[in-house]
Coordinates of all heavy atoms in Angstrom, one line a residue:
L57 N 113.8 81.9 92.5 CA 114.5 81.3 93.5 C 114.4 82.3 94.6 O 114.5 81.9 95.9 CB 116.0 81.1 93.0 CG 116.0 80.2 91.9 CD1 117.6 80.1 91.5 CD2 115.6 78.8 92.3
A58 N 114.4 83.7 94.6 CA 114.5 84.6 95.6 C 114.0 85.9 95.3 O 114.1 86.4 94.1 CB 115.9 84.9 96.1
V59 N 113.1 86.5 96.1 CA 112.6 87.8 95.9 C 112.8 88.6 97.3 O 112.5 88.2 98.3 CB 111.0 87.7 95.8 CG1 110.4 89.2 95.7 CG2 110.8 87.0 94.7
K60 N 113.6 89.6 97.0 CA 114.1 90.4 98.3 C 113.9 92.0 98.0 O 114.5 92.5 97.1 CB 115.5 90.0 98.6 CG 116.2 90.9 99.7 CD 115.8 90.3 101.0 CE 116.6 91.0 102.2 NZ 115.9 91.9 103.0
T61 N 113.1 92.6 98.8 CA 113.0 94.2 98.6 C 114.0 94.8 99.6 O 114.1 94.4 100.7 CB 111.6 94.6 98.9 OG1 110.8 94.1 97.8 CG2 111.5 96.1 98.8
E62 N 114.8 95.8 99.1 CA 115.7 96.5 99.9 C 115.2 98.1 99.9 O 114.7 98.6 99.0 CB 117.0 96.4 99.4 CG 117.5 94.9 99.7 CD 118.9 94.7 99.2 OE1 119.5 95.7 98.8 OE2 119.5 93.6 99.3
Y63 N 115.7 98.8 100.9 CA 115.4 100.2 101.0 C 116.7 101.0 100.9 O 117.6 100.6 101.7 CB 114.6 100.5 102.3 CG 114.3 102.0 102.5 CD1 113.3 102.7 101.9 CD2 115.2 102.6 103.5 CE1 113.2 104.0 102.3 CE2 114.9 104.0 103.7 CZ 113.9 104.6 103.1 OH 113.7 105.9 103.5
N64 N 116.8 102.1 100.2 CA 117.9 102.8 100.3 C 117.5 104.4 100.2 O 117.1 104.8 99.2 CB 118.9 102.6 99.1 CG 120.2 103.3 99.2 OD1 120.4 104.3 100.0 ND2 121.2 102.7 98.5
V65 N 117.8 105.1 101.3 CA 117.4 106.4 101.4 C 117.9 107.4 100.4 O 117.6 108.4 100.0 CB 117.5 107.0 103.0 CG1 119.0 107.0 103.2 CG2 116.7 108.2 103.1
K66 N 119.1 106.9 99.9 CA 119.9 107.7 99.0 C 119.4 107.7 97.7 O 119.8 108.5 96.8 CB 121.5 107.3 99.1 CG 122.1 107.6 100.4 CD 123.5 107.0 100.2 CE 124.2 107.1 101.7 NZ 125.5 106.6 101.7
N67 N 118.6 106.7 97.2 CA 118.1 106.7 96.0 C 117.0 107.7 95.7 O 116.5 108.4 96.6 CB 117.4 105.3 95.7 CG 118.5 104.1 95.6 OD1 119.7 104.5 95.5 ND2 118.0 103.0 95.5
S68 N 116.6 107.8 94.5 CA 115.6 108.9 94.2 C 114.2 108.6 94.8 O 114.0 107.3 95.1 CB 115.3 109.1 92.7 OG 114.8 108.0 92.1
A69 N 113.3 109.3 94.8 CA 112.0 109.1 95.5 C 111.3 108.0 94.8 O 110.6 107.1 95.5 CB 111.1 110.4 95.2
N70 N 111.4 107.7 93.6 CA 110.7 106.6 92.8 C 111.5 105.2 93.2 O 110.9 104.3 92.9 CB 110.7 106.8 91.3 CG 109.6 107.7 90.8 OD1 108.6 107.9 91.8 ND2 109.6 108.0 89.6
T71 N 112.7 105.2 93.5 CA 113.4 104.0 93.6 C 114.0 103.9 95.1 O 115.2 103.2 95.2 CB 114.6 103.9 92.5 OG1 115.4 105.1 92.7 CG2 114.0 103.9 91.2
T72 N 113.6 104.5 96.0 CA 113.9 104.1 97.4 C 113.7 102.6 97.8 O 114.5 102.1 98.6 CB 113.3 105.0 98.4 OG1 111.9 104.9 98.3 CG2 113.7 106.4 98.3
Y73 N 112.7 102.0 97.3 CA 112.5 100.6 97.5 C 112.7 99.9 96.1 O 112.1 100.3 95.1 CB 111.0 100.3 98.0 CG 110.7 100.9 99.3 CD1 110.2 102.1 99.4 CD2 110.9 100.2 100.5 CE1 109.8 102.7 100.6 CE2 110.5 100.7 101.8 CZ 110.1 101.9 101.7 OH 109.7 102.3 103.0
L74 N 113.5 98.9 96.1 CA 113.8 98.1 94.9 C 113.7 96.6 95.3 O 114.2 96.3 96.4 CB 115.1 98.4 94.4 CG 115.3 99.8 93.6 CD1 116.7 100.0 93.2 CD2 114.3 100.0 92.5
T75 N 113.1 95.9 94.4 CA 113.0 94.4 94.6 C 114.1 93.7 93.8 O 114.1 94.0 92.5 CB 111.6 93.9 94.4 OG1 110.7 94.7 95.3 CG2 111.5 92.5 94.7
Y76 N 114.9 92.9 94.4 CA 115.8 92.1 93.6 C 115.4 90.6 93.4 O 114.9 90.1 94.5 CB 117.2 92.2 94.2 CG 117.7 93.6 94.4 CD1 117.4 94.4 95.5 CD2 118.5 94.2 93.3 CE1 117.9 95.7 95.5 CE2 119.0 95.5 93.4 CZ 118.7 96.3 94.5 OH 119.1 97.5 94.5
V77 N 115.3 90.1 92.3 CA 114.9 88.7 92.0 C 116.0 87.9 91.5 O 116.7 88.4 90.5 CB 113.6 88.8 91.1 CG1 113.2 87.4 90.8 CG2 112.6 89.7 91.7
D78 N 116.0 86.7 92.0 CA 116.9 85.7 91.4 C 116.0 84.7 90.6 O 115.2 84.1 91.3 CB 117.7 84.9 92.4 CG 118.9 85.6 93.1 OD1 119.3 86.6 92.4 OD2 119.3 85.4 94.2
L79 N 116.4 84.5 89.4 CA 115.6 83.6 88.6 C 116.5 82.4 88.2 O 117.6 82.6 88.0 CB 115.1 84.3 87.3 CG 114.1 85.5 87.4 CD1 113.9 86.3 86.1 CD2 112.8 85.0 88.1
K80 N 115.9 81.2 88.1 CA 116.4 80.0 87.9 C 117.3 80.0 86.7 O 118.5 79.5 86.8 CB 115.4 78.9 87.8 CG 116.1 77.5 87.9 CD 114.9 76.4 87.8 CE 115.4 75.1 88.1 NZ 114.2 74.1 88.1
Q81 N 116.8 80.7 85.6 CA 117.7 80.7 84.3 C 119.1 81.2 84.3 O 119.9 81.0 83.7 CB 116.8 81.3 83.3 CG 116.5 82.8 83.5 CD 115.5 83.3 82.7 OE1 114.6 82.6 82.3 NE2 115.5 84.8 82.5
D82 N 119.3 82.3 85.2 CA 120.5 83.0 85.2 C 120.9 83.6 86.6 O 121.5 84.7 86.7 CB 120.5 84.2 84.2 CG 119.3 85.2 84.5 OD1 118.6 85.0 85.6 OD2 119.0 86.1 83.7
Y83 N 120.5 82.7 87.7 CA 120.7 83.3 89.1 C 122.2 83.5 89.4 O 122.5 84.3 90.1 CB 120.1 82.4 90.0 CG 120.8 81.0 90.3 CD1 121.6 81.0 91.4 CD2 120.6 80.0 89.5 CE1 122.3 79.8 91.7 CE2 121.1 78.8 89.7 CZ 122.0 78.7 90.7 OH 122.7 77.4 91.0
K84 N 123.1 82.8 88.8 CA 124.5 82.9 89.0 C 125.2 84.3 88.5 O 126.1 84.7 89.0 CB 125.3 81.7 88.6 CG 125.1 80.5 89.3 CD 126.0 79.3 88.9 CE 125.5 78.1 89.6 NZ 126.3 77.0 89.3
K85 N 124.5 84.7 87.4 CA 125.0 85.8 86.8 C 124.3 87.2 87.0 O 125.0 88.2 87.1 CB 125.1 85.5 85.2 CG 125.9 86.6 84.4 CD 126.1 86.1 83.1 CE 126.9 87.2 82.3 NZ 127.2 86.9 80.9
Y86 N 123.0 87.1 87.0 CA 122.1 88.4 87.1 C 121.3 88.4 88.3 O 120.7 87.4 88.8 CB 121.4 88.6 85.9 CG 122.2 88.8 84.6 CD1 122.3 87.8 83.6 CD2 122.9 90.0 84.4 CE1 123.0 88.0 82.4 CE2 123.6 90.2 83.2 CZ 123.6 89.1 82.2 OH 124.3 89.4 81.1
E87 N 121.0 89.6 88.7 CA 119.9 90.0 89.6 C 118.9 90.8 88.8 O 119.4 91.9 88.2 CB 120.4 90.8 90.8 CG 120.5 90.1 92.1 CD 121.1 91.0 93.1 OE1 121.5 92.1 92.9 OE2 120.9 90.7 94.3
H88 N 117.6 90.5 88.8 CA 116.7 91.3 88.1 C 116.2 92.3 89.1 O 115.8 92.0 90.3 CB 115.6 90.4 87.6 CG 116.1 89.4 86.5 ND1 116.0 89.7 85.2 CD2 116.7 88.2 86.6 CE1 116.6 88.7 84.5 NE2 116.9 87.8 85.3
V89 N 115.9 93.5 88.7 CA 115.5 94.6 89.6 C 114.2 95.1 89.2 O 114.0 95.5 88.0 CB 116.7 95.7 89.5 CG1 116.3 96.8 90.6 CG2 118.0 95.2 89.9
F90 N 113.3 95.2 90.2 CA 111.8 95.8 90.0 C 111.7 96.9 90.9 O 112.0 97.0 92.0 CB 110.9 94.6 90.2 CG 111.0 93.5 89.1 CD1 111.9 92.5 89.4 CD2 110.2 93.6 88.0 CE1 112.0 91.4 88.4 CE2 110.3 92.5 87.2 CZ 111.3 91.5 87.3
G91 N 110.7 97.8 90.4 CA 110.1 98.8 91.3 C 108.6 98.6 91.4 O 108.1 97.9 90.6
Y92 N 108.0 99.4 92.4 CA 106.5 99.2 92.5 C 106.1 100.4 93.1 O 106.7 101.1 94.0 CB 106.2 97.9 93.4 CG 104.8 98.0 93.9 CD1 103.8 97.6 93.1 CD2 104.5 98.5 95.1 CE1 102.5 97.6 93.6 CE2 103.2 98.6 95.5 CZ 102.2 98.2 94.8 OH 100.9 98.2 95.2
N93 N 105.0 100.9 92.8 CA 104.1 101.9 93.6 C 102.7 101.7 93.1 O 102.4 101.1 92.2 CB 104.7 103.3 93.3 CG 104.5 103.9 92.0 OD1 103.5 103.6 91.3 ND2 105.3 104.8 91.6
K94 N 101.8 102.3 94.0 CA 100.3 102.1 93.8 C 99.8 102.8 92.5 O 99.0 102.1 91.8 CB 99.5 102.8 94.8 CG 99.8 102.2 96.2 CD 98.9 102.9 97.2 CE 99.2 102.3 98.7 NZ 98.6 103.0 99.6

Side-chain angles (χ1 to χ4, degrees):
L57 302 178
V59 177
K60 174 87 170 106
T61 299
E62 295 181 0
Y63 173 82
N64 188 340
V65 71
K66 295 178 184 177
N67 289 351
S68 70
N70 277 348
T71 59
T72 51
Y73 294 92
L74 291 175
T75 302
Y76 298 90
V77 177
D78 288 336
L79 298 173
K80 191 175 188 178
Q81 66 195 23
D82 58 6
Y83 75 95
K84 291 184 180 182
K85 189 171 183 179
Y86 294 109
E87 254 181 343
H88 298 263
V89 184
F90 294 85
Y92 167 79
N93 67 32
K94 289 179 186 175

